[in-house]
Amino acid sequence: MKTRSLFLLVIALGCLSIAVGYSTVSSFDGQNPPHAVDTAGKTIPESSATQPDKPIIFSKDSKDPIYLELKPEAAFDHTKHNTDPLHTLDGKTPTACVYCHHTEQPMPVAEHPYLTKSERSAVLTAKLLETPGAQAVNSCRHCHFQAEEGSPKRVKYVKGSEPEDAKGEAILTNRVAYHVKCISCHMAATKRDPKLKGPQGCADCHVKKT
């Protein structure tokens, strides 16, 4: 009887240590689920009325081991993409906030039928955000959670979108949202100006360690 109890105790402690270890790994930024951080290690909150002043490492908000292959860790410079013409689609007009923060505008949006719910009565702009008491802007994670988190907040797009799950519904996790938005913009910008070097393919960021 004592031997059995000791055996069960060892099993229980082993499971507990694994759970603690997993929790530590998945919450390396001090939050669970983990969030993106800037290059200074500061956590990017789910919502904020302050624009980030340092580049953001989006891969820090995922537990997917594929991101360990980033070399170096890909950092998104919010300021450059918001102000520098070289980092825009047409090379002239500053990128509109709602190009990425697409829920920060009144709904519905004709060209985006999947956008149905908004907390705003006016389209978000940088000038609007500078207004005292400005409404906080939702980060990508506010809607786009990682698949492994199993969150009910994960975005489901209309049938026929990509990628589709077994039920034919498109679930846009952080990983998919970042890749689709960033790569499509880089491809359009590079087509406009071949001298630009924005990542467009897997190997541009994910370098297999040997």
Side-chain angles (χ1 to χ4, degrees):
M1 189 67 178
K2 288 183 178 180
T3 303
R4 184 185 177 195
S5 297
L6 182 60
F7 176 75
L8 292 175
L9 178 61
V10 170
I11 294 296
L13 289 175
C15 292
L16 180 61
S17 64
I18 292 173
V20 170
Y22 178 78
S23 176
T24 302
V25 171
S26 65
S27 187
F28 46 75
D29 72 338
Q31 299 193 39
N32 197 359
H35 286 214
V37 299
D38 66 21
T39 50
K42 180 182 177 182
T43 296
I44 303 300
E46 186 172 319
S47 301
S48 175
T50 303
Q51 297 192 53
D53 57 359
K54 287 182 171 39
I56 306 166
I57 303 175
F58 286 121
S59 60
K60 290 294 189 183
D61 71 3
S62 175
K63 295 178 286 187
D64 193 326
I66 192 173
Y67 287 114
L68 297 177
E69 297 174 3
L70 290 178
K71 185 181 179 181
E73 288 178 316
F76 171 75
D77 195 321
H78 187 276
T79 302
K80 282 187 177 180
H81 284 77
N82 192 31
T83 60
D84 185 356
L86 284 177
H87 289 74
T88 63
L89 288 170
D90 62 6
K92 302 174 183 178
T93 312
T95 305
C97 298
V98 292
Y99 180 77
C100 294
H101 300 279
H102 50 199
T103 60
E104 303 294 329
Q105 58 186 316
M107 304 295 177
V109 180
E111 62 270 29
H112 301 300
Y114 49 83
L115 297 180
T116 58
K117 185 178 180 181
S118 174
E119 302 170 356
R120 288 191 179 273
S121 57
V123 175
L124 172 67
T125 62
K127 185 175 182 180
L128 182 64
L129 195 59
E130 293 170 359
T131 306
Q135 179 179 336
V137 178
N138 293 326
S139 71
C140 305
R141 168 167 284 283
H142 185 77
C143 297
H144 298 289
F145 272 56
Q146 293 299 333
E148 67 267 24
E149 292 169 17
S151 169
K153 292 181 67 177
R154 288 184 301 161
V155 175
K156 286 191 176 183
Y157 276 25
V158 294
K159 188 172 182 178
S161 302
E162 294 290 342
E164 292 184 354
D165 63 10
K167 296 180 181 178
E169 295 176 312
I171 297 179
L172 215 57
T173 61
N174 273 18
R175 175 177 167 181
V176 177
Y178 297 153
H179 283 71
V180 170
K181 184 63 71 173
C182 297
I183 293 174
S184 62
C185 187
H186 289 163
M187 290 179 72
T190 303
K191 185 176 181 179
R192 166 180 59 80
D193 183 355
K195 295 190 298 296
L196 297 176
K197 302 295 182 183
Q200 297 179 49
C202 303
D204 292 336
C205 289
H206 299 277
V207 179
K208 291 282 187 180
K209 292 180 173 63
T210 56

